Amino acid sequence: MKHHHKLTVALCLIWAITILYGEMFAFWVPSLFTCSWPHHNLLKQSDEKFTKVAIVTDPQLMDKTSFRLSSKTLALEVAQFYTDINMRRSFVQSILPFEPEVVLFLGDYFDGGPFLPEDEWEESLSRFKHVFGMNSEGKVGDVPTFYIPGNHDIGYSRVASHKLDVIDRYEKVFGNRNRRFMIGNVEFISIDAQAIDGNPQKDLALEVWKFVQNVSSDATSHPRVLLTHIPLYRPDQTPCGPHRRASVIDQRFWRHFQDQEVIYQNYVSQESSKKLLEMIKPVLVLSGHDHEQCTVTHKSETGSVTEHTLGTISWQQGNIYPSFMLLSVPNAVNQNSSDLEETLHTQLCFLPCQLYIYMWYLSLFVFTLLALLLWPNHGISFVNNAADYISNVMKLSFSSGVTKEKNEDENCEYEMVWDAEGSMHLVKKVLPTLVKRQSDKPLVERGNAVMRSAARKNEAEQIELVMDSNANAGGSVSDSLMRPASKSRTKLVIHRVIRTIMMIIAIAALNVPIYMMLLFKDWVEQ
């Protein structure tokens, strides 16, 4: 097989393995190697004692507001498809293999939810259901699923107070913005964090605080978990723990100067955070919105409370290391326990870095192109030289072990002699050894032929005649020699380019179908 054929086969295999890993195997890594349910790390703990909860936040499906493009632009549709397929793989191949018994979404399902017209919002909703495999009831298969609102779903209080229809269409699909529900033996309290700091005289803020007051007044023996899309207040530059990769964002809080409704906030205000902790008394707080991982501890009158802010599941939302969380919720809680927070066990899990996968695709393409263009016709020279060297060493070692016998017939001749009876005998005679002198002219014998110096003289004369004739041509020799060299070099380049194109077609013929099969298999399968 020719060397460039071997190179083509090797590159085909490298590309096939790369595509299989980047499009499929990489998403199996969390469930197989890097992550597990946190209660599995506890001694003598079985699945029967815990309810397994998977938590996802901030998918923010891209739409025309993401890049300020029209909804039918080809660039936007391509970006939507590849972002959606990445999240679908992350959810179906990385999260669902853990077999969660409950799924929690912590808000921001769309990117421009409050500003999309009804038909485009319905289209985004259909994409959201397909990406996360939801049925008509909003469940992930048969798994109970709960949602809390985010600012990209209904807007901050300034937007929501002027777009009540946005709130109505959200609640028809995802349920009430403020709700409470039980998982295992733990009560989960979900609030509309976008409205809690709004104008306290307006309906949105009053509705949230009325709900919080009802929760506070109800005596309960169950520990509580607070779910809020916007994280609770933390002082500027508060450390976020070892999983944080981006710099910590300081508090930003803006109100409209007329109606005092919130235009933007990245944390709940300090006053509202304090009231929530004192009234709800949670043992754990879960939030999103920041798109980056962060773990902080809040101080309140009831003690210390840990808050986990989850990173986004979408690699297009500023975090190249998407993540999700596994939460083990106990089915029975010992009320005499000194620290109820220890009964809830969390595990932060990271998804494949899609940006690195695409960078590797690009690097491998450049390497493939250069290798096909520059690969020598006879392979790499040092490989061939090494092979020749090894072969010569083996020959020498073999020949050194064989002793050459002396030929006694060298420098001898045989003469035929007949005796008196007519019989022939061969008589061996030693020839005298001729001593060569420097004055002797070299002779080269080939059988009966002899090459003499006269032949070299004639050859020299012929060369001289040719040189003289070329000299008379007035320097046209160099031009005639350079022209064929230039043509041969051009021919070599064209041959290399054609050969490279053919080999790229051969590599693509094998790997493009594999890529397309994996791409649409993940998108179509239910």
Side-chain angles (χ1 to χ4, degrees):
M1 184 183 291
K2 295 182 179 180
H3 290 281
H4 61 274
H5 289 166
K6 294 180 181 178
L7 176 63
T8 304
V9 172
L11 289 173
C12 280
L13 294 177
I14 293 173
W15 269 105
I17 294 172
T18 299
I19 291 174
L20 287 173
Y21 177 81
E23 303 299 316
M24 183 169 61
F25 297 151
F27 295 89
W28 297 356
V29 171
S31 61
L32 294 178
F33 303 108
T34 62
C35 210
S36 64
W37 289 104
H39 66 270
H40 287 173
N41 299 325
L42 304 176
L43 296 177
K44 299 180 181 180
Q45 298 295 332
S46 64
D47 290 346
E48 297 179 356
K49 296 181 180 180
F50 292 89
T51 299
K52 298 179 289 186
V53 182
I55 308 173
V56 177
T57 188
D58 294 275
Q60 282 189 219
L61 270 65
M62 300 173 66
D63 52 47
K64 67 180 183 180
T65 64
S66 303
F67 300 118
R68 301 186 183 278
L69 298 173
S70 61
S71 57
K72 300 303 179 181
T73 303
L74 177 61
L76 178 59
E77 291 186 349
V78 170
Q80 287 177 341
F81 175 78
Y82 277 95
T83 305
D84 290 358
I85 193 67
N86 174 264
M87 287 190 289
R88 179 171 173 80
R89 285 172 174 167
S90 298
F91 190 75
V92 174
Q93 298 184 25
S94 297
I95 299 178
L96 291 187
F98 286 99
E99 299 180 352
E101 297 170 306
V102 178
V103 176
L104 290 181
F105 286 90
L106 299 184
D108 276 3
Y109 315 120
F110 315 109
D111 203 5
F115 310 103
L116 294 177
E118 190 66 27
D119 57 337
E120 295 184 13
W121 190 84
E122 290 291 342
E123 181 181 352
S124 295
L125 176 62
S126 177
R127 287 170 51 207
F128 179 79
K129 289 182 176 180
H130 180 72
V131 167
F132 295 101
M134 296 174 183
N135 56 26
S136 58
E137 298 178 358
K139 294 183 179 180
V140 179
D142 296 330
V143 179
T145 308
F146 299 94
Y147 308 89
I148 68 173
N151 58 292
H152 284 271
D153 303 318
I154 60 175
Y156 294 106
S157 60
R158 170 64 179 173
V159 174
S161 62
H162 293 83
K163 291 180 178 256
L164 297 180
D165 57 322
V166 169
I167 295 179
D168 292 338
R169 71 184 183 187
Y170 171 86
E171 291 187 329
K172 287 179 181 179
V173 175
F174 297 103
N176 293 332
R177 294 171 294 122
N178 305 289
R179 61 193 304 184
R180 55 200 297 189
F181 51 89
M182 295 291 296
I183 298 178
N185 202 38
V186 177
E187 185 178 24
F188 286 74
I189 310 298
S190 166
I191 63 169
D192 179 5
Q194 291 69 229
I196 201 166
D197 283 320
N199 190 331
Q201 305 301 322
K202 299 294 182 68
D203 292 340
L204 291 179
L206 287 174
E207 183 180 352
V208 179
W209 285 114
K210 182 178 179 181
F211 169 78
V212 173
Q213 182 63 41
N214 291 336
V215 171
S216 175
S217 61
D218 290 344
T220 179
S221 59
H222 303 290
R224 288 170 173 169
V225 175
L226 174 62
L227 304 179
T228 167
H229 175 70
I230 300 177
L232 300 184
Y233 174 80
R234 63 194 64 161
D236 292 349
Q237 296 303 308
T238 300
C240 277
H243 299 299
R244 182 84 177 193
R245 288 182 171 86
S247 58
V248 178
I249 301 175
D250 294 335
Q251 174 71 284
R252 283 180 284 179
F253 190 99
W254 301 326
R255 290 184 182 274
H256 194 270
F257 67 95
Q258 291 181 343
D259 54 17
Q260 293 300 300
E261 294 285 14
V262 176
I263 301 175
Y264 178 82
Q265 64 181 132
N266 50 8
Y267 300 117
V268 176
S269 66
Q270 185 175 9
E271 180 183 359
S272 297
S273 298
K274 182 179 179 181
K275 289 176 62 177
L276 287 172
L277 293 175
E278 292 176 353
M279 297 176 71
I280 297 178
K281 299 179 176 62
V283 298
L284 180 68
V285 179
L286 299 175
S287 59
H289 186 61
D290 195 7
H291 292 194
E292 266 280 357
Q293 301 75 227
C294 186
T295 299
V296 297
T297 300
H298 301 284
K299 302 294 184 180
S300 68
E301 293 181 355
T302 57
S304 299
V305 180
T306 299
E307 177 182 2
H308 293 294
T309 300
L310 278 65
T312 174
I313 192 177
S314 173
W315 72 283
Q316 280 284 359
Q317 297 302 323
N319 187 351
I320 64 174
Y321 297 96
S323 63
F324 63 98
M325 178 169 280
L326 300 178
L327 173 66
S328 297
V329 179
N331 293 328
V333 177
N334 183 7
Q335 294 299 320
N336 296 325
S337 174
S338 58
D339 192 351
L340 293 176
E341 181 185 348
E342 294 182 356
T343 62
L344 293 165
H345 307 282
T346 61
Q347 174 67 57
L348 184 65
C349 303
F350 289 93
L351 295 163
C353 181
Q354 189 65 43
L355 179 62
Y356 287 171
I357 293 176
Y358 288 151
M359 289 174 63
W360 172 242
Y361 286 169
L362 180 60
S363 301
L364 184 57
F365 175 77
V366 173
F367 170 78
T368 300
L369 194 61
L370 293 177
L372 295 176
L373 282 173
L374 304 179
W375 194 266
N377 290 330
H378 302 289
I380 300 178
S381 59
F382 76 85
V383 176
N384 294 332
N385 293 338
D388 294 340
Y389 176 76
I390 295 173
S391 177
N392 292 334
V393 170
M394 293 178 65
K395 289 180 180 178
L396 289 175
S397 61
F398 176 77
S399 61
S400 62
V402 180
T403 303
K404 183 177 181 181
E405 296 182 358
K406 181 178 180 181
N407 189 355
E408 296 180 353
D409 292 336
E410 291 180 354
N411 298 326
C412 297
E413 67 177 9
Y414 292 87
E415 182 180 355
M416 293 182 294
V417 178
W418 282 265
D419 57 11
E421 296 179 357
S423 299
M424 186 188 70
H425 300 276
L426 294 176
V427 179
K428 183 177 180 180
K429 293 182 178 182
V430 180
L431 296 176
T433 302
L434 298 177
V435 180
K436 295 183 179 181
R437 293 174 297 178
Q438 294 182 354
S439 61
D440 293 341
K441 295 181 178 180
L443 299 177
V444 180
E445 296 185 1
R446 298 287 183 180
N448 294 327
V450 178
M451 293 182 61
R452 301 183 183 275
S453 59
R456 297 182 181 179
K457 181 178 180 182
N458 294 335
E459 184 180 354
E461 291 176 354
Q462 293 176 1
I463 294 175
E464 185 178 358
L465 290 174
V466 174
M467 293 293 292
D468 292 340
S469 63
N470 289 336
N472 294 331
S476 61
V477 175
S478 59
D479 296 338
S480 62
L481 292 176
M482 291 296 295
R483 195 174 299 114
S486 177
K487 290 182 179 179
S488 63
R489 189 178 296 109
T490 303
K491 184 178 179 181
L492 176 62
V493 171
I494 295 175
H495 174 73
R496 281 293 182 93
V497 172
I498 294 175
R499 189 186 74 179
T500 300
I501 294 174
M502 293 178 64
M503 288 189 288
I504 288 177
I505 292 175
I507 295 172
L510 172 66
N511 290 283
V512 169
I514 296 176
Y515 176 77
M516 299 303 292
M517 178 187 68
L518 294 174
L519 195 67
F520 288 100
K521 178 187 81 66
D522 293 331
W523 183 250
V524 173
E525 71 177 3
Q526 298 295 330

